Amino acid sequence: MKLFTLSSLFLLLFPLAAQADMVVTTKSGRQYTIPVNGDDVQSIRFTDSGTNGQQSGSSWIGEWETSEGNVKFSQNGNTVSGSYTRDNGRISGQVSGNTLNGIWAQSSSARKCTVKKLNTFYWGRISFTQQAGGQKFLGKWGYCGDKPTSNWTGFK
């Protein structure tokens, strides 16, 4: 899969004009036109003021040092998966704003659940919230379907 920089992608979309307009349309139908030069575009970022200035749809991609060991996350849209070395640990969840809610699963743990999730009886719920800048998260975990109450923190 070939990756493009934003400026090269912009130029692919608008090859004849270095100067173009970006039009943003809101759910209410209001439109904002922003003149842009394709050669000058480095990035486009969307933020949601409802998340106290933190990026909406946060990125979890990368290696995180956490209170439960190192976790390597990958992300496709709002779906996040992760792995860690403790008992063949895995994470699967969905991002909403700056929060990742999902499930951790391992080959063994202190408590065995009555139903399987992620192909194991050893799992629980998680809720991780990124802090400003997306370099740190504060989170909770629990066993099986219980509400997450134990701390799980991490940073990039």
Side-chain angles (χ1 to χ4, degrees):
M1 180 172 148
K2 184 169 177 152
L3 297 176
F4 296 96
T5 64
L6 188 55
S7 60
S8 64
L9 181 59
F10 188 90
L11 290 175
L12 283 173
L13 296 173
F14 305 100
L16 299 177
Q19 185 70 33
D21 290 335
M22 179 172 38
V23 178
V24 177
T25 305
T26 65
K27 289 179 183 178
S28 66
R30 190 167 185 180
Q31 289 190 339
Y32 300 90
T33 302
I34 304 163
V36 292
N37 181 329
D39 293 330
D40 292 336
V41 175
Q42 180 178 346
S43 67
I44 297 174
R45 185 172 65 133
F46 298 93
T47 58
D48 179 356
S49 60
T51 59
N52 296 322
Q54 295 174 0
Q55 186 174 342
S56 177
S58 299
S59 173
W60 291 84
I61 297 170
E63 188 113 4
W64 294 72
E65 293 182 40
T66 82
S67 54
E68 300 297 318
N70 287 353
V71 178
K72 186 173 183 177
F73 285 113
S74 61
Q75 183 171 349
N76 185 2
N78 289 338
T79 301
V80 173
S81 58
S83 62
Y84 53 100
T85 55
R86 178 180 296 166
D87 296 313
N88 192 31
R90 300 171 314 281
I91 291 175
S92 179
Q94 297 289 315
V95 175
S96 177
N98 61 342
T99 301
L100 169 63
N101 288 304
I103 294 174
W104 63 266
Q106 298 177 174
S107 55
S108 67
S109 75
R111 183 168 160 197
K112 184 176 181 180
C113 305
T114 58
V115 297
K116 275 187 172 183
K117 296 265 183 168
L118 298 178
N119 209 27
T120 184
F121 285 104
Y122 303 99
W123 60 273
R125 293 174 41 205
I126 59 162
S127 182
F128 299 162
T129 302
Q130 283 187 11
Q131 303 303 300
Q135 299 297 304
K136 175 182 176 182
F137 74 80
L138 300 178
K140 300 283 186 182
W141 67 274
Y143 287 110
C144 308
D146 296 349
K147 179 180 178 181
T149 57
S150 299
N151 290 333
W152 189 339
T153 60
F155 62 93
K156 283 187 177 179

